[in-house]
Amino acid sequence: MKLLNPKKESFDHLDAASARIMKKTIAFFESKGKTKLKSDYHAKEWYADFLEFVKKEKIFYTLLTPSQYGTEGCRWDTCRNCCFNEILGFYGLPYWYTWQVTILGLGPIWMGKNEALKKKTAKLLEQGEIFAFGLSEKEHGADLYSSDMTLTPLTDDQFVADGGKYYIGNANKAGLVSVFGKDSDTDEYVFFTARPEHENYTLVKNIISNQSYVAEFSLNGYPVASSDILSRGSHAWDSALNTINVGKYNLGWASIGICTHAFYEAITHAAHRELYGKKVTDFPHVQELMTTAFARLTAMKLFAARNSDYMRTASRDDRRYLLYNPLTKMKVTTQGEEVINLIWDVIAAKGFEKDTYFEMAAIEIRGLPKLEGTVHVNMALVVKFMANYLFAPADMPEIPLMHNTANDDFLFDQGSTRGLSKIIFHDFEKTYAQMDLPNLTIFKEQIKALKDLLLNAPPEKEQIKDIDFLLILGELFALVVYGQLIIENALLLKTEEDIVDQIFDFMVKDFSKHALQLYSKSSATDKQMENSLKIIKKPVTDPKRFQRVWQTHVLKMSDTYEMNA
């Protein structure tokens, strides 16, 4: 899988109209130039120019309006949305953020049953409006059970809303804000829409120091009509969680975009720098750092792109995406931090310079693992799938590459959020059996050792209550799933075996690292410690393979992309 090069990417896997959107977006940023991009970033300048471009080209309208509510070309197509995610991440997280929050704000609307509001929303998108997702609160975060936002009935058709929301992106300029609360009479959950320009909507402040506006706002006797209601009861609850299922997937793509731009800048800088009479790129430790960063970044993209195929083919009977999604949010974003750390060790002080992209990337990459649920929250979700995934494989359909132009209807009709532990998966071992590479062979041995540990020394009652213990166990399990989808996509895209084996070089090391953490846990039993040691293995050292990847793929990225000044 190729890493994005905006000046060379053809977007051949997209239809012509979608490819034009991507190329126009790239042209907008390249025309803006890095100097202006960075000065706006440092000045914390609201990105009105970008939103004007989006409005003029009807980009959010085209990409985020389901086909039944828009004109020709409109559809919610996860495949092409991945490309747009990656481009926005590549040029700057604030631009991605306004897109991301619009997606979240649209979720409860498209998932609701209010057809008049859906048609109104499509018109607002066509007019260039952005949207907001009023879920979290200052005192409760994203704890939906504890929401203090109330909707009080006055008549059968009229209500008033009272309460505050906190950490709500776009809430300063949104055409509509989807607000989550509770009916004060029945205590049932409810989603309704509010407008920031209304006199009973108080925009308190921007709670962050950034180009983006992340609002604290309050509704004070805000009038709500029955025509503003999106959903009630369990439907409202499911809409909240299912919207997050759609939205949190995007965070992985933002990380991929950020890391790719930073990588180009770093390898070009290193290739042109000399220290102690030799090129920086001739130092073995620099080759190791950059090649590992390349392998991790390629793995991020292989996994996230494959997840898209499962999202696009999901149904009531096939909800495998609910495991892969939190891993795209959690695993891909934390891998993004690893990539930035690795290349920062190469460029060192250069990474602090205000005119580099990297200075921005080093800050923004940290936020993504902490949005849409922390790593801990998403890992607690992932662990629920472990038993069925590892020990009860089922006969499930094989999923092809999904680059077709269909509307992803199921994403807005996901149904109940219950029953996660009953979701079934295809046999991951059959996937692993399709490739035979030195490091992959070792990785398979580690998987077997993990299964043996879970069968022979499973977590005890008190350990199950220990979030840190489960987090380590979840990291081990996550690697198995991560590797599976990487292999599936590598096979579909005919990725070079050298690259795949280089990926599993770091995967073996990561497996060993987490096994050592489990061994070192104070609560680990003797039997768990004994089994943990069996997971710890060393990858195969192959200098020739390493040099092929370094010379053919990593070093050759030098001087292949630089953003216009």
Side-chain angles (χ1 to χ4, degrees):
M1 170 163 275
K2 295 187 301 181
L3 298 178
L4 173 67
N5 184 332
K7 293 185 176 180
K8 295 181 179 180
E9 179 61 62
S10 62
F11 301 101
D12 287 342
H13 65 295
L14 300 180
D15 63 281
S18 299
R20 278 196 297 273
I21 288 174
M22 307 308 154
K23 291 174 183 178
K24 283 182 177 181
T25 305
I26 289 168
F28 165 81
F29 285 109
E30 292 293 342
S31 177
K32 183 184 181 82
K34 188 166 73 170
T35 301
K36 178 62 173 165
L37 186 87
K38 290 304 301 284
S39 66
D40 284 358
Y41 177 77
H42 289 132
K44 302 176 177 64
E45 186 78 25
W46 174 255
Y47 28 74
D49 58 342
F50 173 65
L51 294 179
E52 185 58 35
F53 161 73
V54 166
K55 176 181 179 180
K56 178 186 174 184
E57 300 294 339
K58 298 185 178 181
I59 291 178
F60 286 8
Y61 171 63
T62 304
L63 300 182
L64 301 180
T65 305
S67 54
Q68 60 267 44
Y69 299 103
T71 53
E72 185 179 357
C74 289
R75 65 180 184 276
W76 195 291
D77 175 342
T78 301
C79 178
R80 70 176 181 178
N81 285 356
C82 290
C83 296
F84 197 69
N85 265 307
E86 186 178 16
I87 292 167
L88 296 187
F90 189 97
Y91 287 107
L93 197 65
Y95 305 95
W96 171 88
Y97 184 74
T98 198
W99 148 268
Q100 164 70 356
V101 179
T102 292
I103 286 173
L104 293 171
L106 290 170
I109 298 173
W110 299 139
M111 292 177 192
K113 296 180 180 178
N114 190 326
E115 290 299 312
L117 253 179
K118 291 181 183 182
K119 292 174 183 176
K120 177 182 178 181
T121 295
K123 288 293 182 186
L124 290 172
L125 280 167
E126 189 173 19
Q127 293 163 14
E129 297 287 354
I130 55 177
F131 289 74
F133 187 50
L135 189 72
S136 63
E137 298 180 6
K138 190 171 186 178
E139 302 303 325
H140 309 296
D143 176 6
L144 306 190
Y145 295 104
S146 304
S147 179
D148 287 333
M149 176 66 72
T150 59
L151 192 67
T152 303
L154 301 178
T155 67
D156 288 345
D157 295 320
Q158 298 295 323
F159 311 80
V160 289
D162 293 279
K165 291 293 180 180
Y166 198 78
Y167 221 95
I168 312 302
N170 287 355
N172 59 324
K173 296 284 188 182
L176 289 174
V177 183
S178 298
V179 183
F180 182 84
K182 290 180 181 177
D183 187 302
S184 62
D185 279 2
T186 65
D187 210 36
E188 71 175 347
Y189 301 110
V190 60
F191 253 119
F192 60 93
T193 59
R195 294 177 291 112
E197 67 268 20
H198 195 281
E199 61 183 0
N200 296 80
Y201 180 111
T202 302
L203 191 64
V204 179
K205 63 179 178 179
N206 188 355
I207 62 174
I208 65 169
S209 180
N210 191 274
Q211 279 184 271
S212 301
Y213 199 106
V214 183
E216 177 183 0
F217 75 83
S218 62
L219 302 182
N220 306 290
Y222 184 98
V224 176
S226 57
S227 58
D228 299 317
I229 304 292
L230 296 170
S231 52
R232 283 184 170 275
S234 60
H235 186 193
W237 174 269
D238 291 337
S239 292
L241 297 184
N242 287 333
T243 291
I244 294 169
N245 285 341
V246 175
K248 68 184 176 184
Y249 169 71
N250 301 323
L251 278 76
W253 282 101
S255 290
I256 292 164
I258 290 171
C259 290
T260 304
H261 195 156
F263 194 95
Y264 281 116
E265 195 171 65
I267 190 64
T268 299
H269 169 73
H272 287 270
R273 189 165 174 79
E274 289 191 7
L275 291 174
Y276 311 111
K278 61 193 297 188
K279 285 188 175 182
V280 166
T281 47
D282 287 339
F283 288 102
H285 74 283
V286 169
Q287 295 180 6
E288 177 68 34
L289 288 165
M290 293 303 294
T291 302
T292 302
F294 170 82
R296 288 187 185 273
L297 178 52
T298 302
M300 289 161 62
K301 191 166 182 177
L302 283 167
F303 180 86
R306 184 58 176 153
N307 184 179
S308 169
D309 299 332
Y310 285 96
M311 290 178 69
R312 303 200 71 200
T313 54
S315 67
R316 289 282 195 278
D317 298 322
D318 186 352
R319 297 199 292 163
R320 287 175 280 183
Y321 74 104
L322 290 176
L323 167 58
Y324 309 144
N325 258 26
L327 282 177
T328 303
K329 181 266 174 270
M330 177 207 78
K331 186 71 179 174
V332 174
T333 60
T334 53
Q335 284 292 292
E337 289 187 291
E338 290 277 355
V339 170
I340 293 297
N341 289 342
L342 288 164
I343 59 181
W344 204 344
D345 280 344
V346 173
I347 66 171
K350 185 74 176 177
F352 294 99
E353 294 182 12
K354 68 178 183 180
D355 60 347
T356 63
Y357 175 86
F358 192 94
E359 177 250 2
M360 182 166 66
I363 295 169
E364 303 292 8
I365 200 70
R366 308 298 169 194
L368 292 163
K370 295 148 186 84
L371 298 174
E372 321 307 343
T374 63
V375 170
H376 293 77
V377 168
N378 280 276
M379 186 60 83
L381 177 61
V382 164
V383 170
K384 292 182 179 180
F385 302 104
M386 188 158 57
N388 276 356
Y389 179 95
L390 290 176
F391 299 108
D395 185 16
M396 299 289 287
E398 289 188 15
I399 304 300
L401 291 174
M402 295 299 295
H403 294 168
N404 57 322
T405 59
N407 192 71
D408 297 343
D409 294 323
F410 179 75
L411 294 182
F412 302 102
D413 187 25
Q414 296 176 55
S416 174
T417 55
R418 297 180 179 179
L420 298 184
S421 62
K422 296 179 181 178
I423 293 174
I424 55 177
F425 300 89
H426 56 300
D427 189 346
F428 71 93
E429 291 183 331
K430 288 183 179 179
T431 299
Y432 277 96
Q434 291 181 65
M435 293 193 85
D436 184 17
L437 298 168
N439 282 313
L440 192 50
T441 298
I442 295 173
F443 195 76
K444 293 174 192 176
E445 294 170 1
Q446 290 176 304
I447 294 173
K448 183 180 183 305
L450 173 62
K451 290 180 68 175
D452 289 344
L453 184 152
L454 292 169
L455 289 171
N456 301 325
E460 298 182 342
K461 189 175 182 181
E462 288 303 310
Q463 290 174 327
I464 292 173
K465 299 177 184 177
D466 181 349
I467 296 297
D468 188 55
F469 185 93
L470 284 182
L471 186 64
I472 297 170
L473 201 60
E475 289 281 9
L476 289 164
F477 170 53
L479 281 167
V480 183
V481 186
Y482 199 59
Q484 179 201 346
L485 264 63
I486 288 168
I487 293 170
E488 286 184 7
N489 218 8
L491 289 167
L492 288 165
L493 298 173
K494 297 179 173 55
T495 304
E496 289 181 30
E497 289 190 347
D498 278 349
I499 293 176
V500 178
D501 204 41
Q502 194 64 47
I503 286 171
F504 279 92
D505 178 277
F506 80 74
M507 295 277 281
V508 169
K509 293 173 184 174
D510 286 359
F511 222 137
S512 298
K513 178 183 75 173
H514 295 307
L516 180 59
Q517 290 173 333
L518 190 64
Y519 174 88
S520 303
K521 223 9 208 163
S522 59
S523 61
T525 65
D526 290 343
K527 202 165 187 180
Q528 287 168 344
M529 291 167 66
E530 179 186 345
N531 278 267
S532 294
L533 290 176
K534 294 177 182 177
I535 298 174
I536 299 174
K537 296 183 182 295
K538 182 180 179 180
V540 174
T541 301
D542 185 345
K544 291 182 179 179
R545 179 209 66 224
F546 177 88
Q547 280 300 316
R548 287 194 299 270
V549 175
W550 163 251
Q551 294 287 345
T552 306
H553 299 284
V554 183
L555 189 57
K556 280 197 174 179
M557 287 179 67
S558 172
D559 295 305
T560 57
Y561 171 80
E562 184 175 358
M563 187 175 178
N564 292 348

